[in-house]
Amino acid sequence: MPRKPRFNLPGIPQHVIQRGNNREPCFFTKADYHRYLDDLSESATRFSCQLHAYVLMSNHVHLLVSSAQAYGISQMMQALGRRYVCYINRSHNRSGTLWEGRFKASLVDSENYLLTCMRYIEMNAVRANMVEHPAEYRWSSYAANAQGQQDLIVTPHPSYLALGNSADKRQKAYRELFRKPMENQPLHEIRQALNGELVLGCSYFKDHVQDLTNRQARLGKPGRPRLKDTRGDLL
């Protein structure tokens, strides 16, 4: 089965996930987390990418990233993968693949879903019952976005900047988003879009992406596709 083509639209954020092969660890020591972030920073800068949110879990990573270049995110992930896998194999006396195939990504409607997606990413360790609050998990962008901790790898998105006219106001407004658990519907929408490598957004945004890319942006209806007659009309 051929690979599904990626969405590559400059300036539109993508929610990226990459898992360890067979769900095995991709981080083994604290130094590995630091090295991944260093390699991520270098690759993002090289390919004009901006990282808005991230979480590094023991066997997978989530990134929310945008790029001014059409293929910047794909190029960033390829370069990052090569650098980090070489480091892991050399440091831990291993060989072979580290990642489970190619990364998955979904386009994100920044006007309606970007902050929800940031929240989803930074709540990963809480949903995994590793911590009770995202502030307790070291390897995410929560401390930068919610508490103002310096994290040079994080670039605020305009939707985040619109939360307030000062850093303190933005951080306070952002923390308020975490006061209640996420509802099931946005969780389902985010996972569905990511697993299907589709689009997370409102209907208008999905239609717009389909018009731009001539690519399916949402899940099709279940069942066989309807047959067409010789003129191309649906039967």
Side-chain angles (χ1 to χ4, degrees):
M1 183 177 179
R3 287 182 172 182
K4 182 182 296 186
R6 295 195 185 280
F7 291 109
N8 287 293
L9 296 177
I12 298 181
Q14 293 190 32
H15 178 191
V16 172
I17 184 172
Q18 191 161 36
R19 297 187 181 277
N21 191 40
N22 293 323
R23 308 298 175 96
E24 293 180 354
C26 43
F27 302 100
F28 303 93
T29 68
K30 288 183 180 180
D32 298 341
Y33 290 93
H34 286 296
R35 176 56 184 258
Y36 183 91
L37 292 175
D38 288 343
D39 288 346
L40 175 58
S41 178
E42 192 279 337
S43 298
T45 300
R46 179 181 174 189
F47 295 106
S48 302
C49 295
Q50 298 82 43
L51 186 70
H52 311 301
Y54 69 86
V55 66
L56 312 184
M57 304 295 284
S58 61
N59 64 357
H60 68 282
V61 301
H62 285 270
L63 311 173
L64 182 62
V65 59
S66 57
S67 177
Q69 300 179 10
Y71 295 93
I73 294 173
S74 293
Q75 292 171 326
M76 181 197 79
M77 294 301 294
Q78 289 170 4
L80 169 62
R82 287 193 295 267
R83 289 171 63 94
Y84 184 69
V85 172
C86 287
Y87 157 78
I88 286 291
N89 287 350
R90 182 177 65 250
S91 300
H92 298 285
N93 193 28
R94 67 183 301 278
S95 62
T97 185
L98 179 68
W99 303 113
E100 186 180 72
R102 71 175 194 165
F103 69 91
K104 290 187 175 183
S106 65
L107 283 185
V108 178
D109 175 358
S110 57
E111 290 188 10
N112 297 288
Y113 281 86
L114 185 121
L115 295 174
T116 301
C117 192
M118 291 176 66
R119 185 179 168 204
Y120 174 88
I121 290 170
E122 294 173 355
M123 285 290 288
N124 245 251
V126 177
R127 287 194 300 275
N129 296 316
M130 298 172 67
V131 295
E132 293 185 359
H133 191 274
E136 300 170 19
Y137 191 68
R138 181 177 180 180
W139 309 109
S140 89
S141 52
Y142 180 86
N145 290 319
Q147 299 173 321
Q149 180 176 306
Q150 187 179 36
D151 191 340
L152 297 179
I153 198 173
V154 175
T155 300
H157 188 275
S159 295
Y160 172 85
L161 294 175
L163 289 173
N165 57 14
S166 71
D168 287 343
K169 289 181 179 179
R170 289 191 289 269
Q171 292 156 23
K172 181 178 180 181
Y174 190 71
R175 290 194 298 270
E176 287 295 313
L177 300 176
F178 290 78
R179 291 180 67 86
K180 295 181 180 179
M182 289 188 70
E183 297 180 354
N184 289 332
Q185 184 61 29
L187 284 172
H188 173 72
E189 291 178 358
I190 290 171
R191 289 166 177 164
Q192 185 180 70
L194 190 56
N195 289 332
E197 298 190 88
L198 299 169
V199 174
L200 176 66
C202 66
S203 293
Y204 170 81
F205 182 78
K206 292 177 181 178
D207 291 341
H208 181 59
V209 170
Q210 287 186 173
D211 290 341
L212 287 175
T213 63
N214 196 30
R215 223 207 92 180
Q216 182 178 333
R218 48 169 64 82
L219 284 178
K221 294 182 179 181
R224 291 184 177 182
R226 296 172 64 187
L227 297 176
K228 295 182 179 180
D229 67 9
T230 56
R231 298 169 300 175
D233 296 325
L234 289 172
L235 298 176

